[in-house]
Amino acid sequence: MLTLFHHPMFATCRFVRLAFGEYGEELALIEEKPWTRRKEFLALNPAGTLPILLAEGDVPIVGAMVIAEYLDETRGVLKRDKRLFAEDPMERAEIRRLTDWYLNKAESEVTRHLVRERVLKPVMPETAGGGSPDSAAIRAARANIRQHMKYTNWLAGTRHWLAGNRVTYADLAAAAALSVLDYLGEIDWREHSAARQWYT
Amino acid sequence: MLTLFHHPMFATCRFVRLAFGEYGEELALIEEKPWTRRKEFLALNPAGTLPILLAEGDVPIVGAMVIAEYLDETRGVLKRDKRLFAEDPMERAEIRRLTDWYLNKAESEVTRHLVRERVLKPVMPETAGGGSPDSAAIRAARANIRQHMKYTNWLAGTRHWLAGNRVTYADLAAAAALSVLDYLGEIDWREHSAARQWYT
């Protein structure tokens, strides 16, 4: 069984777990608090980021999209119509664009800040950046949620799934990001019915 | 001929141009100033970021790594020993990790800030964020250069090329990022002889 170093509140880690779940492949989980900068963890990934997959032969595979590509190359190609990626290069580019949108753009404009201020800082030691939440950072992140919801709503309203006619990595990336925000009660679904229908 | 929307001082755009150059494929270039938020540009990419490739049929392909994957799928697979990517999934994961390191981690810790403060702000209108450089941002970015140079030096000293035995996307990503910093005179090569040897 492969092993994933993850944190339950990181969208990037949720995304990887969703992908393995879709393929019915079990994953041993190790919860990591990256801010403690554990030596063994930094030896696996000098960038000090999550997620990290220990793949066959315990080789570390670092980063959500890197893991997704690896999963596709070693498992996805055999999944036929359940494959979470497309065959066509143009469609693959669109799936990658949207996966990056949710795991990097939404992450750096919204998700990361709300998780840090509302979830992590209260449990982090002050030496690692813990302390009371920064209300300006929370306000700024909240102001950005609307644009991401509007875009998601537009995608969900004009396509069957976010990147086209099938469930792909793009849907899992969006679901991972929005599930973190939904858990924090940050999403007002009423104005975004197409997105809500896609999500449920 | 394919068209690239780029900015000459963005490492992500330099990376794509290097990759096309390695394959001897010409690229029509359109210089874009993303901060002007030109309508036609935002229609191609609502994220408002560079680079964007107009691929076959003028379909926009958005983002440096997304373009690199597309280039590999449509051209690279035919290049045999000149291919900038590996065949093996594990080696591919390592190339992707390092490409992401230089195009995202180094970018957000160093390159983006120095380019913004030293190159872009003086030419941007105040309404788009222009003005005098923020010396604290410059200091913070400079403090981070050392770690990236040390890591590059370690990679270059222990491997033939950064991701293994062949030139890959990882080398082009590092070259793109470091060439921006080198152009700005921000790199002290004397302490990093393995990196210097790899670079030249």
Side-chain angles (χ1 to χ4, degrees), chain A residues 81-116:
Chain A
D81 58 330
K82 290 194 67 187
R83 187 175 178 184
L84 293 166
F85 218 173
E87 308 255 324
D88 174 70
M90 293 285 189
E91 292 174 31
R92 291 166 72 83
E94 177 66 357
I95 293 164
R96 287 188 178 110
R97 177 182 77 87
L98 289 173
T99 305
D100 184 68
W101 184 294
Y102 289 101
L103 298 187
N104 287 311
K105 184 174 164 67
E107 181 74 7
S108 68
E109 291 174 1
V110 181
T111 327
R112 176 188 306 160
H113 307 288
L114 291 172
V115 168
R116 188 186 55 230

Short mmCIF file of all heavy atoms in Angstrom, two decimals, chain A residues 81-116:
data_model
loop_
_atom_site.label_atom_id
_atom_site.label_comp_id
_atom_site.label_asym_id
_atom_site.label_seq_id
_atom_site.Cartn_x
_atom_site.Cartn_y
_atom_site.Cartn_z
N ASP A 81 -13.10 4.28 -19.12
CA ASP A 81 -14.02 5.41 -18.95
C ASP A 81 -14.08 5.93 -17.51
O ASP A 81 -14.78 6.89 -17.23
CB ASP A 81 -15.42 5.07 -19.47
CG ASP A 81 -15.98 3.85 -18.77
OD1 ASP A 81 -15.17 2.98 -18.35
OD2 ASP A 81 -17.21 3.76 -18.62
N LYS A 82 -13.38 5.29 -16.59
CA LYS A 82 -13.31 5.84 -15.22
C LYS A 82 -12.03 6.66 -15.00
O LYS A 82 -11.78 7.15 -13.90
CB LYS A 82 -13.40 4.72 -14.18
CG LYS A 82 -14.78 4.08 -14.09
CD LYS A 82 -14.91 3.24 -12.83
CE LYS A 82 -14.89 4.09 -11.56
NZ LYS A 82 -14.86 3.27 -10.33
N ARG A 83 -11.24 6.79 -16.06
CA ARG A 83 -10.01 7.55 -15.94
C ARG A 83 -10.30 9.01 -15.62
O ARG A 83 -11.19 9.61 -16.23
CB ARG A 83 -9.24 7.44 -17.27
CG ARG A 83 -7.85 8.04 -17.23
CD ARG A 83 -7.12 7.80 -18.53
NE ARG A 83 -5.80 8.41 -18.53
CZ ARG A 83 -4.98 8.42 -19.59
NH1 ARG A 83 -5.35 7.82 -20.72
NH2 ARG A 83 -3.80 9.00 -19.52
N LEU A 84 -9.54 9.58 -14.69
CA LEU A 84 -9.78 10.95 -14.24
C LEU A 84 -9.06 12.00 -15.09
O LEU A 84 -8.99 13.17 -14.72
CB LEU A 84 -9.33 11.10 -12.78
CG LEU A 84 -10.16 10.30 -11.77
CD1 LEU A 84 -9.44 10.24 -10.43
CD2 LEU A 84 -11.54 10.90 -11.61
N PHE A 85 -8.55 11.56 -16.21
CA PHE A 85 -7.79 12.44 -17.09
C PHE A 85 -8.27 12.13 -18.52
O PHE A 85 -8.87 11.10 -18.76
CB PHE A 85 -6.31 12.08 -16.95
CG PHE A 85 -5.37 13.27 -16.98
CD1 PHE A 85 -4.03 13.09 -16.72
CD2 PHE A 85 -5.82 14.55 -17.27
CE1 PHE A 85 -3.14 14.15 -16.72
CE2 PHE A 85 -4.94 15.62 -17.27
CZ PHE A 85 -3.61 15.42 -17.00
N ALA A 86 -8.00 13.03 -19.47
CA ALA A 86 -8.40 12.79 -20.85
C ALA A 86 -7.25 12.15 -21.63
O ALA A 86 -6.13 12.06 -21.13
CB ALA A 86 -8.80 14.10 -21.50
N GLU A 87 -7.55 11.69 -22.84
CA GLU A 87 -6.51 11.15 -23.72
C GLU A 87 -5.96 12.27 -24.62
O GLU A 87 -4.78 12.29 -24.94
CB GLU A 87 -7.09 10.08 -24.66
CG GLU A 87 -7.87 8.99 -23.97
CD GLU A 87 -7.07 7.71 -23.92
OE1 GLU A 87 -6.35 7.43 -24.90
OE2 GLU A 87 -7.17 7.00 -22.90
N ASP A 88 -6.86 13.16 -25.02
CA ASP A 88 -6.50 14.20 -25.98
C ASP A 88 -5.67 15.31 -25.32
O ASP A 88 -6.03 15.83 -24.26
CB ASP A 88 -7.81 14.79 -26.53
CG ASP A 88 -7.54 15.97 -27.42
OD1 ASP A 88 -7.03 15.77 -28.52
OD2 ASP A 88 -7.84 17.12 -26.98
N PRO A 89 -4.54 15.70 -25.95
CA PRO A 89 -3.65 16.71 -25.37
C PRO A 89 -4.35 18.04 -25.04
O PRO A 89 -4.04 18.67 -24.03
CB PRO A 89 -2.58 16.92 -26.44
CG PRO A 89 -2.55 15.65 -27.21
CD PRO A 89 -3.97 15.13 -27.20
N MET A 90 -5.28 18.48 -25.90
CA MET A 90 -5.97 19.75 -25.63
C MET A 90 -6.86 19.62 -24.40
O MET A 90 -6.92 20.53 -23.56
CB MET A 90 -6.87 20.15 -26.81
CG MET A 90 -6.13 20.49 -28.07
SD MET A 90 -5.36 22.13 -27.95
CE MET A 90 -4.83 22.31 -29.66
N GLU A 91 -7.58 18.51 -24.31
CA GLU A 91 -8.44 18.30 -23.15
C GLU A 91 -7.60 18.13 -21.89
O GLU A 91 -7.98 18.59 -20.81
CB GLU A 91 -9.33 17.06 -23.35
CG GLU A 91 -10.38 17.24 -24.42
CD GLU A 91 -11.15 15.94 -24.69
OE1 GLU A 91 -11.31 15.14 -23.76
OE2 GLU A 91 -11.56 15.74 -25.86
N ARG A 92 -6.46 17.50 -22.02
CA ARG A 92 -5.56 17.35 -20.87
C ARG A 92 -5.09 18.73 -20.40
O ARG A 92 -5.02 18.99 -19.19
CB ARG A 92 -4.34 16.48 -21.24
CG ARG A 92 -4.70 15.03 -21.47
CD ARG A 92 -3.59 14.25 -22.16
NE ARG A 92 -2.44 14.00 -21.30
CZ ARG A 92 -2.35 13.00 -20.43
NH1 ARG A 92 -3.36 12.16 -20.28
NH2 ARG A 92 -1.26 12.83 -19.72
N ALA A 93 -4.81 19.62 -21.35
CA ALA A 93 -4.35 20.97 -20.99
C ALA A 93 -5.45 21.72 -20.23
O ALA A 93 -5.16 22.45 -19.27
CB ALA A 93 -3.94 21.74 -22.24
N GLU A 94 -6.71 21.54 -20.63
CA GLU A 94 -7.81 22.21 -19.95
C GLU A 94 -7.99 21.65 -18.53
O GLU A 94 -8.23 22.40 -17.58
CB GLU A 94 -9.09 22.07 -20.78
CG GLU A 94 -10.35 22.66 -20.15
CD GLU A 94 -10.33 24.18 -20.00
OE1 GLU A 94 -9.32 24.82 -20.33
OE2 GLU A 94 -11.35 24.73 -19.52
N ILE A 95 -7.86 20.35 -18.39
CA ILE A 95 -7.97 19.73 -17.06
C ILE A 95 -6.83 20.22 -16.16
O ILE A 95 -7.05 20.56 -15.00
CB ILE A 95 -7.94 18.19 -17.18
CG1 ILE A 95 -9.20 17.71 -17.90
CG2 ILE A 95 -7.80 17.52 -15.82
CD1 ILE A 95 -9.12 16.28 -18.41
N ARG A 96 -5.63 20.29 -16.73
CA ARG A 96 -4.49 20.78 -15.94
C ARG A 96 -4.67 22.25 -15.55
O ARG A 96 -4.33 22.65 -14.44
CB ARG A 96 -3.19 20.62 -16.72
CG ARG A 96 -2.72 19.18 -16.85
CD ARG A 96 -1.33 19.12 -17.47
NE ARG A 96 -0.85 17.75 -17.55
CZ ARG A 96 -0.70 17.06 -18.69
NH1 ARG A 96 -0.99 17.62 -19.85
NH2 ARG A 96 -0.26 15.82 -18.68
N ARG A 97 -5.19 23.06 -16.48
CA ARG A 97 -5.39 24.48 -16.18
C ARG A 97 -6.33 24.63 -14.98
O ARG A 97 -6.06 25.40 -14.05
CB ARG A 97 -6.01 25.20 -17.39
CG ARG A 97 -6.33 26.67 -17.13
CD ARG A 97 -6.98 27.34 -18.34
NE ARG A 97 -8.38 26.99 -18.51
CZ ARG A 97 -9.41 27.62 -17.93
NH1 ARG A 97 -9.19 28.66 -17.15
NH2 ARG A 97 -10.65 27.23 -18.14
N LEU A 98 -7.44 23.90 -14.99
CA LEU A 98 -8.42 24.06 -13.91
C LEU A 98 -7.94 23.43 -12.60
O LEU A 98 -8.21 23.96 -11.53
CB LEU A 98 -9.77 23.46 -14.33
CG LEU A 98 -10.49 24.29 -15.40
CD1 LEU A 98 -11.73 23.57 -15.90
CD2 LEU A 98 -10.87 25.67 -14.84
N THR A 99 -7.24 22.33 -12.69
CA THR A 99 -6.68 21.73 -11.47
C THR A 99 -5.73 22.73 -10.82
O THR A 99 -5.78 22.96 -9.60
CB THR A 99 -5.94 20.42 -11.81
OG1 THR A 99 -6.86 19.56 -12.50
CG2 THR A 99 -5.46 19.72 -10.55
N ASP A 100 -4.89 23.36 -11.64
CA ASP A 100 -3.99 24.38 -11.14
C ASP A 100 -4.76 25.57 -10.57
O ASP A 100 -4.37 26.15 -9.56
CB ASP A 100 -3.07 24.83 -12.29
CG ASP A 100 -2.02 25.82 -11.81
OD1 ASP A 100 -1.14 25.41 -11.05
OD2 ASP A 100 -2.09 27.00 -12.21
N TRP A 101 -5.86 25.93 -11.22
CA TRP A 101 -6.69 27.04 -10.73
C TRP A 101 -7.10 26.79 -9.28
O TRP A 101 -6.93 27.64 -8.41
CB TRP A 101 -7.92 27.19 -11.63
CG TRP A 101 -8.80 28.37 -11.29
CD1 TRP A 101 -9.54 28.54 -10.14
CD2 TRP A 101 -9.00 29.54 -12.09
NE1 TRP A 101 -10.20 29.73 -10.20
CE2 TRP A 101 -9.90 30.36 -11.37
CE3 TRP A 101 -8.55 29.95 -13.35
CZ2 TRP A 101 -10.34 31.59 -11.88
CZ3 TRP A 101 -8.99 31.16 -13.84
CH2 TRP A 101 -9.86 31.98 -13.11
N TYR A 102 -7.64 25.62 -9.00
CA TYR A 102 -8.16 25.36 -7.65
C TYR A 102 -7.05 25.05 -6.65
O TYR A 102 -7.12 25.47 -5.50
CB TYR A 102 -9.20 24.24 -7.69
CG TYR A 102 -10.47 24.72 -8.35
CD1 TYR A 102 -10.76 24.39 -9.67
CD2 TYR A 102 -11.35 25.55 -7.67
CE1 TYR A 102 -11.90 24.86 -10.30
CE2 TYR A 102 -12.50 26.03 -8.28
CZ TYR A 102 -12.77 25.69 -9.59
OH TYR A 102 -13.91 26.18 -10.20
N LEU A 103 -6.01 24.35 -7.10
CA LEU A 103 -4.97 23.96 -6.13
C LEU A 103 -3.91 25.04 -5.94
O LEU A 103 -3.19 25.01 -4.95
CB LEU A 103 -4.31 22.64 -6.56
CG LEU A 103 -5.24 21.43 -6.63
CD1 LEU A 103 -4.44 20.17 -6.90
CD2 LEU A 103 -6.06 21.27 -5.36
N ASN A 104 -3.80 25.99 -6.86
CA ASN A 104 -2.80 27.04 -6.68
C ASN A 104 -3.41 28.43 -6.60
O ASN A 104 -3.15 29.16 -5.65
CB ASN A 104 -1.75 26.96 -7.80
CG ASN A 104 -0.84 25.76 -7.60
OD1 ASN A 104 -0.31 25.53 -6.52
ND2 ASN A 104 -0.69 24.95 -8.63
N LYS A 105 -4.23 28.79 -7.58
CA LYS A 105 -4.78 30.15 -7.58
C LYS A 105 -5.78 30.34 -6.42
O LYS A 105 -5.62 31.27 -5.61
CB LYS A 105 -5.45 30.44 -8.93
CG LYS A 105 -5.98 31.87 -9.09
CD LYS A 105 -6.50 32.08 -10.52
CE LYS A 105 -7.38 33.31 -10.63
NZ LYS A 105 -6.64 34.58 -10.42
N ALA A 106 -6.79 29.48 -6.33
CA ALA A 106 -7.76 29.59 -5.23
C ALA A 106 -7.04 29.41 -3.89
O ALA A 106 -7.34 30.09 -2.91
CB ALA A 106 -8.88 28.56 -5.38
N GLU A 107 -6.09 28.51 -3.87
CA GLU A 107 -5.32 28.26 -2.65
C GLU A 107 -4.60 29.53 -2.18
O GLU A 107 -4.67 29.89 -1.01
CB GLU A 107 -4.29 27.14 -2.94
CG GLU A 107 -3.42 26.74 -1.79
CD GLU A 107 -4.14 25.91 -0.72
OE1 GLU A 107 -5.32 25.53 -0.94
OE2 GLU A 107 -3.54 25.68 0.33
N SER A 108 -3.93 30.21 -3.11
CA SER A 108 -3.12 31.35 -2.67
C SER A 108 -3.96 32.61 -2.49
O SER A 108 -3.53 33.55 -1.82
CB SER A 108 -1.97 31.61 -3.64
OG SER A 108 -2.46 32.06 -4.87
N GLU A 109 -5.16 32.65 -3.07
CA GLU A 109 -6.01 33.83 -2.91
C GLU A 109 -7.01 33.68 -1.78
O GLU A 109 -7.50 34.68 -1.25
CB GLU A 109 -6.75 34.13 -4.23
CG GLU A 109 -5.81 34.62 -5.33
CD GLU A 109 -6.49 34.79 -6.68
OE1 GLU A 109 -7.71 34.54 -6.80
OE2 GLU A 109 -5.80 35.15 -7.63
N VAL A 110 -7.37 32.45 -1.45
CA VAL A 110 -8.44 32.24 -0.48
C VAL A 110 -8.09 31.18 0.58
O VAL A 110 -7.88 31.48 1.75
CB VAL A 110 -9.76 31.79 -1.18
CG1 VAL A 110 -10.86 31.60 -0.14
CG2 VAL A 110 -10.18 32.79 -2.24
N THR A 111 -8.04 29.93 0.12
CA THR A 111 -8.08 28.79 1.03
C THR A 111 -6.95 28.79 2.05
O THR A 111 -7.17 28.64 3.26
CB THR A 111 -8.05 27.47 0.22
OG1 THR A 111 -8.74 27.68 -1.01
CG2 THR A 111 -8.73 26.35 0.98
N ARG A 112 -5.72 28.97 1.55
CA ARG A 112 -4.56 28.90 2.44
C ARG A 112 -4.69 29.88 3.61
O ARG A 112 -4.38 29.57 4.75
CB ARG A 112 -3.31 29.22 1.62
CG ARG A 112 -2.02 29.27 2.42
CD ARG A 112 -0.87 29.78 1.56
NE ARG A 112 -0.75 28.97 0.35
CZ ARG A 112 -0.12 29.36 -0.75
NH1 ARG A 112 0.46 30.55 -0.81
NH2 ARG A 112 -0.08 28.57 -1.81
N HIS A 113 -5.15 31.10 3.30
CA HIS A 113 -5.22 32.15 4.32
C HIS A 113 -6.28 31.84 5.38
O HIS A 113 -6.05 32.00 6.58
CB HIS A 113 -5.50 33.50 3.67
CG HIS A 113 -4.52 33.81 2.59
ND1 HIS A 113 -3.22 34.14 2.85
CD2 HIS A 113 -4.64 33.78 1.23
CE1 HIS A 113 -2.57 34.33 1.70
NE2 HIS A 113 -3.42 34.11 0.72
N LEU A 114 -7.46 31.38 4.93
CA LEU A 114 -8.52 31.09 5.90
C LEU A 114 -8.14 29.90 6.76
O LEU A 114 -8.40 29.89 7.97
CB LEU A 114 -9.85 30.83 5.16
CG LEU A 114 -10.43 32.09 4.51
CD1 LEU A 114 -11.64 31.75 3.65
CD2 LEU A 114 -10.83 33.11 5.59
N VAL A 115 -7.50 28.90 6.17
CA VAL A 115 -7.08 27.74 6.96
C VAL A 115 -6.01 28.15 7.96
O VAL A 115 -6.05 27.80 9.15
CB VAL A 115 -6.57 26.60 6.04
CG1 VAL A 115 -5.85 25.52 6.85
CG2 VAL A 115 -7.73 26.00 5.25
N ARG A 116 -5.07 28.97 7.51
CA ARG A 116 -3.99 29.40 8.42
C ARG A 116 -4.56 30.22 9.58
O ARG A 116 -4.29 29.95 10.75
CB ARG A 116 -2.94 30.22 7.67
CG ARG A 116 -1.70 30.53 8.51
CD ARG A 116 -0.74 31.47 7.78
NE ARG A 116 -1.42 32.68 7.39
CZ ARG A 116 -1.39 33.21 6.15
NH1 ARG A 116 -0.69 32.63 5.20
NH2 ARG A 116 -2.07 34.31 5.87
#
